Amino acid sequence: MASARDIRRRIRGVRNMQQITKAMKMVAASKLRKAQEKVIAARPYARQLQEVLARLAQDQADVTHPLLMERPVQRVGYIIITSDRGLCGGYNTNLIRMTNSSIAEETHDVRLVAVGRKGRDFYRRGKIETIAEFVGLGDNPSYGQAKEIAQEVIGLYESGELDEVYLLYNEFVSAISQRPTRIKLLPIEKPKQVSNTEYIFEPSAEEILTTLLPKYVETQVFRTLLEGKASEMGAKMTAMGAATDNAKEAIERLTLQLNRARQAAITTEISEIVGGASALE
């Protein structure tokens, strides 16, 4: 059995760790509220923009834009959005597992665009080529950062380096639930449902479509960045909460061991005193 001094030292260490994890949980909870508000605000805009593009694409079926053009697929690009830091439970692990499954099922050549250090570092050791990386986005991703990523991907697609592009990210469901999700980004798919409603566009629908298609890609990337950040903070808050609870249980268990060690020491001292007294008689 460990000595009482060693047990006390371990209790102090666990208690210090408990204070750290509790503080990290509170910080993550504060950041989660802000990230969740941004996600909720971004979703309607992205959905409305998609609806506008659907109407335009229906009216302009003969428009040929590079982002709408489908071609024989040889190289597929995966944009994987992970975190820059750890201590967020299974946030990165679940997403990387889904990405690996998608890569294993893919029959074409796969190239990666890594957003976040965890994904970049993981696939840097593998055999999948990473053609672009974006790290250090911070806790508040901006539209400018999303635009930079989108422009890089659009350039790779228009140059023929990639024939299809998919976004892989964690969709925010709740603070304790994040869903690994894969959506197709490029080429932009035209809607299958046809509407009988007629719209008048100013300027021409073709000009609007040419302007909105890159904006749509940027908006989708921005939304997924926000989804990923909210999911990360939710996962971190849950992980730090579990770590705090585990530390509490460890302290209780060590305290019980300490009491047993003290009791054993007292019993030993009493036995020695009684034995010494008996020897003097």
Side-chain angles (χ1 to χ4, degrees), residues 224-251:
T224 54
L225 288 179
L226 295 179
E227 295 272 1
K229 187 55 63 176
S231 299
E232 178 189 347
M233 292 305 162
K236 182 170 292 187
M237 186 185 73
T238 302
M240 291 301 99
T244 302
D245 294 339
N246 291 339
K248 180 180 179 181
E249 294 177 2
I251 290 173

Side-chain angles (χ1 to χ4, degrees), residues 48-65 67-69 187-195 197 199 201 204-210 212-213 216:
Q48 188 64 35
L49 181 58
Q50 190 172 13
E51 292 177 1
V52 171
L53 284 177
R55 298 168 188 164
L56 286 167
Q58 289 175 6
D59 293 344
Q60 300 293 318
D62 57 340
V63 172
T64 57
H65 190 278
L67 301 183
L68 294 172
M69 295 286 291
I188 299 173
E189 296 180 333
K190 295 182 180 180
K192 297 180 180 179
Q193 297 180 353
V194 179
S195 174
T197 307
Y199 296 91
F201 297 98
S204 67
E206 183 175 356
E207 293 180 32
I208 296 176
L209 189 63
T210 303
L212 285 186
L213 286 175
Y216 168 77

Side-chain angles (χ1 to χ4, degrees), residues 133-145:
E133 60 181 50
F134 300 88
V135 298
L137 300 184
D139 293 330
N140 298 296
S142 65
Y143 188 84
Q145 293 170 327

Side-chain angles (χ1 to χ4, degrees), residues 148-163:
E148 182 182 356
I149 297 171
Q151 292 299 322
E152 177 71 21
V153 173
I154 290 174
L156 292 170
Y157 181 78
E158 292 181 338
S159 65
E161 182 71 20
L162 299 175
D163 300 311

